[in-house]
Amino acid sequence: MAVKPILRMGDPRLLAVAAEVETVPSAELDALIQDLFDTMAANNGAGLAAPQIGVGLRVVVFGVQANPRYPDAGEVPATVLINPLITVLDQAGERGWEGCLSVPGMRGLVERPGRIAYRGMAADGSLIERQAEGFHARVVQHECDHLDGVLYPMRMTDMSAFGFEAELEADGRLGC
Ligand code: NI
């Protein structure tokens, strides 16, 4: 369909709580999902949420396959989740570097639960239910945060671990 412009941090639409999708499947929803995948791919993203392209609905896409932005990340199946729900399976936090297409050029270290279960609808209305850990769990939590108006810098507790990707890379910090 189309690669859409991505809203950047500071745009108030990124802080809004998105609305549940009421009708699944639908042609409009299919078009939105295609736009999300196209826009994510064009920007080498690991995930994208509908509010990031200005659509206030609870829809996220994610997936990682040999992604140049995340060279050390494991593979995550290409997935669309409609009206997703996350259950934390292990409260123990893991720290990991995150980036966001709405915060271009930056990375930050964020602590999140390391093991989750998630569920949501696929584009055809069927149920998706999975458990995830590591990078997979992180991506899902990051994307679902967008549906509640939360950007990863808002989750950070140590702002000394927030900076521009190139400088953090040069300093050898992104590997840890
Ligand atoms: Ni993001």
Short mmCIF file of all heavy atoms in Angstrom, two decimals, residues 90-141:
data_model
loop_
_atom_site.label_atom_id
_atom_site.label_comp_id
_atom_site.label_asym_id
_atom_site.label_seq_id
_atom_site.Cartn_x
_atom_site.Cartn_y
_atom_site.Cartn_z
N ASP A 90 7.37 -13.18 34.49
CA ASP A 90 8.50 -13.11 35.41
C ASP A 90 8.81 -11.64 35.64
O ASP A 90 9.24 -10.94 34.72
CB ASP A 90 9.70 -13.84 34.79
CG ASP A 90 10.87 -13.91 35.76
OD1 ASP A 90 10.79 -13.27 36.84
OD2 ASP A 90 11.86 -14.59 35.44
N GLN A 91 8.56 -11.17 36.86
CA GLN A 91 8.75 -9.75 37.16
C GLN A 91 10.20 -9.32 37.08
O GLN A 91 10.49 -8.13 36.96
CB GLN A 91 8.19 -9.42 38.56
CG GLN A 91 6.68 -9.27 38.60
CD GLN A 91 6.18 -8.04 37.86
OE1 GLN A 91 6.96 -7.17 37.47
NE2 GLN A 91 4.88 -7.97 37.63
N ALA A 92 11.12 -10.30 37.18
CA ALA A 92 12.54 -9.94 37.16
C ALA A 92 12.84 -9.16 35.89
O ALA A 92 12.51 -9.59 34.78
CB ALA A 92 13.40 -11.20 37.22
N GLY A 93 13.42 -7.99 36.06
CA GLY A 93 13.66 -7.12 34.93
C GLY A 93 14.95 -7.47 34.20
O GLY A 93 15.88 -8.01 34.78
N GLU A 94 14.95 -7.18 32.91
CA GLU A 94 16.16 -7.28 32.11
C GLU A 94 16.39 -5.92 31.49
O GLU A 94 15.45 -5.27 31.04
CB GLU A 94 16.00 -8.32 30.99
CG GLU A 94 16.04 -9.74 31.46
CD GLU A 94 15.86 -10.73 30.31
OE1 GLU A 94 15.87 -10.29 29.14
OE2 GLU A 94 15.71 -11.92 30.61
N ARG A 95 17.65 -5.52 31.43
CA ARG A 95 17.96 -4.25 30.81
C ARG A 95 18.43 -4.48 29.38
O ARG A 95 19.20 -5.39 29.11
CB ARG A 95 19.03 -3.51 31.60
CG ARG A 95 18.59 -3.23 33.03
CD ARG A 95 19.34 -2.09 33.66
NE ARG A 95 20.79 -2.19 33.52
CZ ARG A 95 21.62 -1.16 33.72
NH1 ARG A 95 21.12 0.02 34.04
NH2 ARG A 95 22.91 -1.32 33.59
N GLY A 96 17.96 -3.66 28.47
CA GLY A 96 18.39 -3.78 27.07
C GLY A 96 18.26 -2.45 26.36
O GLY A 96 17.45 -1.60 26.74
N TRP A 97 19.07 -2.27 25.34
CA TRP A 97 19.04 -1.03 24.56
C TRP A 97 17.85 -1.04 23.63
O TRP A 97 17.57 -2.04 22.97
CB TRP A 97 20.32 -0.89 23.76
CG TRP A 97 21.50 -0.58 24.63
CD1 TRP A 97 22.42 -1.47 25.11
CD2 TRP A 97 21.89 0.70 25.13
NE1 TRP A 97 23.35 -0.82 25.89
CE2 TRP A 97 23.05 0.51 25.92
CE3 TRP A 97 21.37 1.99 25.00
CZ2 TRP A 97 23.70 1.57 26.57
CZ3 TRP A 97 22.01 3.05 25.65
CH2 TRP A 97 23.16 2.84 26.42
N GLU A 98 17.15 0.09 23.59
CA GLU A 98 16.01 0.23 22.68
C GLU A 98 16.19 1.45 21.79
O GLU A 98 16.86 2.41 22.16
CB GLU A 98 14.70 0.35 23.48
CG GLU A 98 14.43 -0.91 24.29
CD GLU A 98 13.04 -0.95 24.91
OE1 GLU A 98 12.16 -0.18 24.51
OE2 GLU A 98 12.86 -1.81 25.80
N GLY A 99 15.58 1.35 20.65
CA GLY A 99 15.46 2.49 19.76
C GLY A 99 14.01 2.56 19.32
O GLY A 99 13.23 1.65 19.60
N CYS A 100 13.65 3.65 18.67
CA CYS A 100 12.26 3.81 18.25
C CYS A 100 12.24 4.71 17.02
O CYS A 100 12.94 5.72 16.98
CB CYS A 100 11.46 4.46 19.39
SG CYS A 100 9.72 4.73 19.00
N LEU A 101 11.45 4.33 16.03
CA LEU A 101 11.39 5.13 14.81
C LEU A 101 10.79 6.51 15.08
O LEU A 101 10.97 7.42 14.27
CB LEU A 101 10.59 4.38 13.74
CG LEU A 101 11.24 3.08 13.25
CD1 LEU A 101 10.29 2.34 12.31
CD2 LEU A 101 12.58 3.34 12.58
N SER A 102 10.13 6.69 16.23
CA SER A 102 9.60 8.00 16.60
C SER A 102 10.62 8.83 17.39
O SER A 102 10.35 9.99 17.72
CB SER A 102 8.32 7.85 17.43
OG SER A 102 7.28 7.31 16.62
N VAL A 103 11.77 8.22 17.68
CA VAL A 103 12.86 8.91 18.40
C VAL A 103 14.13 8.65 17.59
O VAL A 103 15.05 7.97 18.05
CB VAL A 103 13.01 8.39 19.84
CG1 VAL A 103 13.90 9.30 20.67
CG2 VAL A 103 11.64 8.23 20.53
N PRO A 104 14.18 9.14 16.35
CA PRO A 104 15.21 8.70 15.41
C PRO A 104 16.62 9.07 15.87
O PRO A 104 16.84 10.16 16.40
CB PRO A 104 14.85 9.40 14.10
CG PRO A 104 13.94 10.52 14.48
CD PRO A 104 13.23 10.09 15.73
N GLY A 105 17.54 8.12 15.67
CA GLY A 105 18.95 8.37 15.95
C GLY A 105 19.36 8.15 17.38
O GLY A 105 20.55 8.24 17.70
N MET A 106 18.39 7.84 18.25
CA MET A 106 18.68 7.73 19.68
C MET A 106 18.56 6.27 20.14
O MET A 106 17.84 5.47 19.54
CB MET A 106 17.71 8.57 20.51
CG MET A 106 17.53 10.00 20.05
SD MET A 106 18.94 11.06 20.37
CE MET A 106 18.89 11.15 22.17
N ARG A 107 19.25 5.97 21.24
CA ARG A 107 19.09 4.69 21.92
C ARG A 107 19.07 4.94 23.41
O ARG A 107 19.69 5.89 23.90
CB ARG A 107 20.24 3.73 21.60
CG ARG A 107 20.29 3.23 20.17
CD ARG A 107 19.08 2.37 19.83
NE ARG A 107 19.12 1.97 18.44
CZ ARG A 107 19.67 0.84 18.01
NH1 ARG A 107 20.20 -0.01 18.87
NH2 ARG A 107 19.68 0.56 16.73
N GLY A 108 18.39 4.05 24.11
CA GLY A 108 18.35 4.17 25.56
C GLY A 108 18.24 2.80 26.19
O GLY A 108 17.71 1.85 25.59
N LEU A 109 18.76 2.70 27.42
CA LEU A 109 18.73 1.44 28.14
C LEU A 109 17.46 1.39 28.99
O LEU A 109 17.21 2.28 29.80
CB LEU A 109 19.98 1.35 29.02
CG LEU A 109 20.43 -0.01 29.53
CD1 LEU A 109 20.64 -1.01 28.40
CD2 LEU A 109 21.74 0.16 30.32
N VAL A 110 16.66 0.35 28.76
CA VAL A 110 15.34 0.25 29.41
C VAL A 110 15.23 -1.09 30.12
O VAL A 110 15.58 -2.13 29.56
CB VAL A 110 14.21 0.35 28.36
CG1 VAL A 110 12.84 0.32 29.04
CG2 VAL A 110 14.37 1.60 27.51
N GLU A 111 14.74 -1.05 31.35
CA GLU A 111 14.49 -2.29 32.08
C GLU A 111 13.03 -2.69 31.91
O GLU A 111 12.12 -1.89 32.10
CB GLU A 111 14.81 -2.10 33.56
CG GLU A 111 14.62 -3.39 34.36
CD GLU A 111 15.27 -3.36 35.73
OE1 GLU A 111 16.27 -2.63 35.89
OE2 GLU A 111 14.78 -4.05 36.62
N ARG A 112 12.84 -3.96 31.52
CA ARG A 112 11.48 -4.49 31.34
C ARG A 112 11.44 -5.93 31.83
O ARG A 112 12.48 -6.59 31.87
CB ARG A 112 11.09 -4.51 29.86
CG ARG A 112 11.01 -3.16 29.19
CD ARG A 112 10.49 -3.32 27.78
NE ARG A 112 10.52 -2.10 27.01
CZ ARG A 112 9.55 -1.19 26.96
NH1 ARG A 112 8.45 -1.37 27.67
NH2 ARG A 112 9.65 -0.11 26.21
N PRO A 113 10.26 -6.44 32.17
CA PRO A 113 10.15 -7.87 32.50
C PRO A 113 10.71 -8.71 31.36
O PRO A 113 10.49 -8.42 30.19
CB PRO A 113 8.64 -8.07 32.65
CG PRO A 113 8.11 -6.73 33.04
CD PRO A 113 8.98 -5.73 32.31
N GLY A 114 11.41 -9.76 31.74
CA GLY A 114 12.12 -10.56 30.74
C GLY A 114 11.28 -11.65 30.09
O GLY A 114 11.63 -12.15 29.02
N ARG A 115 10.19 -12.04 30.75
CA ARG A 115 9.34 -13.10 30.19
C ARG A 115 7.89 -12.67 30.24
O ARG A 115 7.38 -12.27 31.30
CB ARG A 115 9.50 -14.42 30.96
CG ARG A 115 10.73 -15.23 30.57
CD ARG A 115 10.73 -16.59 31.27
NE ARG A 115 9.57 -17.38 30.91
CZ ARG A 115 8.73 -17.94 31.79
NH1 ARG A 115 8.91 -17.80 33.08
NH2 ARG A 115 7.71 -18.65 31.37
N ILE A 116 7.21 -12.80 29.12
CA ILE A 116 5.80 -12.41 29.04
C ILE A 116 5.00 -13.45 28.26
O ILE A 116 5.56 -14.27 27.53
CB ILE A 116 5.62 -11.04 28.34
CG1 ILE A 116 6.13 -11.10 26.88
CG2 ILE A 116 6.32 -9.93 29.10
CD1 ILE A 116 5.71 -9.92 26.02
N ALA A 117 3.70 -13.39 28.44
CA ALA A 117 2.79 -14.04 27.50
C ALA A 117 2.03 -12.90 26.82
O ALA A 117 1.79 -11.86 27.43
CB ALA A 117 1.81 -14.96 28.22
N TYR A 118 1.72 -13.08 25.55
CA TYR A 118 0.90 -12.06 24.90
C TYR A 118 -0.14 -12.73 24.02
O TYR A 118 0.01 -13.86 23.58
CB TYR A 118 1.75 -11.07 24.11
CG TYR A 118 2.51 -11.58 22.91
CD1 TYR A 118 1.90 -11.65 21.65
CD2 TYR A 118 3.84 -11.93 23.01
CE1 TYR A 118 2.61 -12.07 20.55
CE2 TYR A 118 4.57 -12.36 21.90
CZ TYR A 118 3.95 -12.43 20.66
OH TYR A 118 4.64 -12.85 19.56
N ARG A 119 -1.23 -12.02 23.84
CA ARG A 119 -2.29 -12.50 22.98
C ARG A 119 -2.92 -11.32 22.26
O ARG A 119 -2.86 -10.17 22.69
CB ARG A 119 -3.33 -13.26 23.78
CG ARG A 119 -3.83 -12.45 24.97
CD ARG A 119 -5.25 -12.74 25.31
NE ARG A 119 -5.50 -14.00 25.97
CZ ARG A 119 -6.68 -14.64 25.89
NH1 ARG A 119 -7.65 -14.17 25.17
NH2 ARG A 119 -6.91 -15.72 26.54
N GLY A 120 -3.54 -11.62 21.15
CA GLY A 120 -4.21 -10.59 20.37
C GLY A 120 -4.81 -11.26 19.15
O GLY A 120 -4.66 -12.48 18.97
N MET A 121 -5.48 -10.47 18.35
CA MET A 121 -6.07 -11.03 17.13
C MET A 121 -5.15 -10.82 15.94
O MET A 121 -4.47 -9.79 15.83
CB MET A 121 -7.41 -10.34 16.84
CG MET A 121 -8.61 -11.05 17.42
SD MET A 121 -10.12 -10.20 16.92
CE MET A 121 -10.04 -8.75 17.95
N ALA A 122 -5.16 -11.79 15.04
CA ALA A 122 -4.53 -11.63 13.74
C ALA A 122 -5.49 -10.87 12.82
O ALA A 122 -6.64 -10.61 13.19
CB ALA A 122 -4.19 -13.00 13.16
N ALA A 123 -5.03 -10.55 11.62
CA ALA A 123 -5.84 -9.74 10.69
C ALA A 123 -7.15 -10.42 10.33
O ALA A 123 -8.15 -9.76 10.05
CB ALA A 123 -5.03 -9.46 9.43
N ASP A 124 -7.17 -11.77 10.38
CA ASP A 124 -8.40 -12.49 10.02
C ASP A 124 -9.31 -12.74 11.22
O ASP A 124 -10.34 -13.40 11.10
CB ASP A 124 -8.04 -13.83 9.34
CG ASP A 124 -7.28 -14.77 10.28
OD1 ASP A 124 -7.04 -14.41 11.45
OD2 ASP A 124 -6.93 -15.88 9.83
N GLY A 125 -8.90 -12.22 12.37
CA GLY A 125 -9.72 -12.35 13.57
C GLY A 125 -9.38 -13.57 14.41
O GLY A 125 -9.92 -13.74 15.50
N SER A 126 -8.46 -14.40 13.93
CA SER A 126 -8.06 -15.57 14.73
C SER A 126 -7.17 -15.13 15.90
O SER A 126 -6.57 -14.05 15.88
CB SER A 126 -7.32 -16.58 13.84
OG SER A 126 -6.14 -16.02 13.33
N LEU A 127 -7.13 -15.99 16.92
CA LEU A 127 -6.39 -15.65 18.14
C LEU A 127 -4.93 -16.03 18.01
O LEU A 127 -4.60 -17.14 17.58
CB LEU A 127 -7.03 -16.39 19.33
CG LEU A 127 -6.40 -16.12 20.70
CD1 LEU A 127 -6.63 -14.68 21.15
CD2 LEU A 127 -6.97 -17.09 21.74
N ILE A 128 -4.05 -15.10 18.41
CA ILE A 128 -2.62 -15.40 18.51
C ILE A 128 -2.29 -15.40 20.00
O ILE A 128 -2.64 -14.46 20.72
CB ILE A 128 -1.77 -14.32 17.81
CG1 ILE A 128 -2.03 -14.33 16.31
CG2 ILE A 128 -0.29 -14.52 18.11
CD1 ILE A 128 -1.39 -13.16 15.58
N GLU A 129 -1.64 -16.47 20.47
CA GLU A 129 -1.25 -16.58 21.87
C GLU A 129 0.15 -17.14 21.92
O GLU A 129 0.40 -18.23 21.38
CB GLU A 129 -2.19 -17.53 22.62
CG GLU A 129 -3.10 -16.82 23.57
CD GLU A 129 -3.97 -17.79 24.36
OE1 GLU A 129 -4.47 -18.76 23.75
OE2 GLU A 129 -4.16 -17.55 25.55
N ARG A 130 1.08 -16.40 22.55
CA ARG A 130 2.47 -16.85 22.58
C ARG A 130 3.12 -16.48 23.90
O ARG A 130 2.64 -15.58 24.60
CB ARG A 130 3.30 -16.17 21.48
CG ARG A 130 2.92 -16.55 20.08
CD ARG A 130 3.86 -15.87 19.09
NE ARG A 130 3.37 -16.05 17.73
CZ ARG A 130 3.46 -15.14 16.77
NH1 ARG A 130 4.02 -13.97 17.02
NH2 ARG A 130 2.99 -15.40 15.58
N GLN A 131 4.21 -17.15 24.18
CA GLN A 131 5.11 -16.71 25.25
C GLN A 131 6.37 -16.21 24.58
O GLN A 131 6.76 -16.69 23.52
CB GLN A 131 5.42 -17.86 26.20
CG GLN A 131 4.19 -18.29 26.98
CD GLN A 131 4.51 -19.24 28.12
OE1 GLN A 131 5.66 -19.45 28.47
NE2 GLN A 131 3.47 -19.81 28.71
N ALA A 132 7.01 -15.24 25.23
CA ALA A 132 8.21 -14.65 24.64
C ALA A 132 9.18 -14.25 25.72
O ALA A 132 8.79 -13.95 26.86
CB ALA A 132 7.84 -13.45 23.78
N GLU A 133 10.45 -14.26 25.37
CA GLU A 133 11.48 -13.77 26.28
C GLU A 133 12.52 -13.03 25.47
O GLU A 133 12.48 -13.02 24.24
CB GLU A 133 12.09 -14.93 27.06
CG GLU A 133 12.69 -16.01 26.18
CD GLU A 133 13.17 -17.21 26.99
OE1 GLU A 133 12.73 -17.38 28.13
OE2 GLU A 133 13.98 -17.97 26.45
N GLY A 134 13.45 -12.41 26.18
CA GLY A 134 14.56 -11.73 25.51
C GLY A 134 14.08 -10.61 24.60
O GLY A 134 13.14 -9.88 24.91
N PHE A 135 14.74 -10.50 23.45
CA PHE A 135 14.45 -9.39 22.53
C PHE A 135 12.99 -9.43 22.04
O PHE A 135 12.35 -8.39 21.90
CB PHE A 135 15.41 -9.45 21.34
CG PHE A 135 15.25 -8.32 20.39
CD1 PHE A 135 15.68 -7.04 20.73
CD2 PHE A 135 14.67 -8.50 19.14
CE1 PHE A 135 15.53 -5.97 19.86
CE2 PHE A 135 14.52 -7.44 18.26
CZ PHE A 135 14.95 -6.18 18.62
N HIS A 136 12.48 -10.63 21.81
CA HIS A 136 11.10 -10.80 21.37
C HIS A 136 10.14 -10.16 22.39
O HIS A 136 9.24 -9.36 22.04
CB HIS A 136 10.83 -12.30 21.20
CG HIS A 136 9.49 -12.65 20.64
ND1 HIS A 136 9.15 -13.93 20.30
CD2 HIS A 136 8.39 -11.91 20.37
CE1 HIS A 136 7.91 -13.95 19.83
NE2 HIS A 136 7.42 -12.74 19.87
N ALA A 137 10.34 -10.47 23.67
CA ALA A 137 9.49 -9.91 24.73
C ALA A 137 9.63 -8.39 24.79
O ALA A 137 8.66 -7.67 25.01
CB ALA A 137 9.85 -10.53 26.07
N ARG A 138 10.84 -7.92 24.58
CA ARG A 138 11.10 -6.48 24.64
C ARG A 138 10.37 -5.75 23.51
O ARG A 138 9.73 -4.71 23.73
CB ARG A 138 12.61 -6.23 24.56
CG ARG A 138 13.02 -4.76 24.60
CD ARG A 138 14.53 -4.60 24.72
NE ARG A 138 15.02 -5.26 25.92
CZ ARG A 138 14.96 -4.73 27.15
NH1 ARG A 138 14.45 -3.50 27.32
NH2 ARG A 138 15.40 -5.39 28.20
N VAL A 139 10.46 -6.29 22.30
CA VAL A 139 9.81 -5.64 21.15
C VAL A 139 8.30 -5.55 21.36
O VAL A 139 7.68 -4.51 21.12
CB VAL A 139 10.12 -6.41 19.84
CG1 VAL A 139 9.24 -5.92 18.70
CG2 VAL A 139 11.59 -6.26 19.48
N VAL A 140 7.69 -6.64 21.82
CA VAL A 140 6.24 -6.65 22.01
C VAL A 140 5.85 -5.62 23.08
O VAL A 140 4.88 -4.85 22.89
CB VAL A 140 5.76 -8.06 22.40
CG1 VAL A 140 4.28 -8.05 22.75
CG2 VAL A 140 6.03 -9.05 21.27
N GLN A 141 6.59 -5.57 24.16
CA GLN A 141 6.26 -4.59 25.22
C GLN A 141 6.44 -3.16 24.73
O GLN A 141 5.62 -2.27 25.01
CB GLN A 141 7.14 -4.84 26.46
CG GLN A 141 6.78 -6.15 27.16
CD GLN A 141 7.72 -6.46 28.31
OE1 GLN A 141 7.53 -6.00 29.42
NE2 GLN A 141 8.76 -7.23 28.04
#
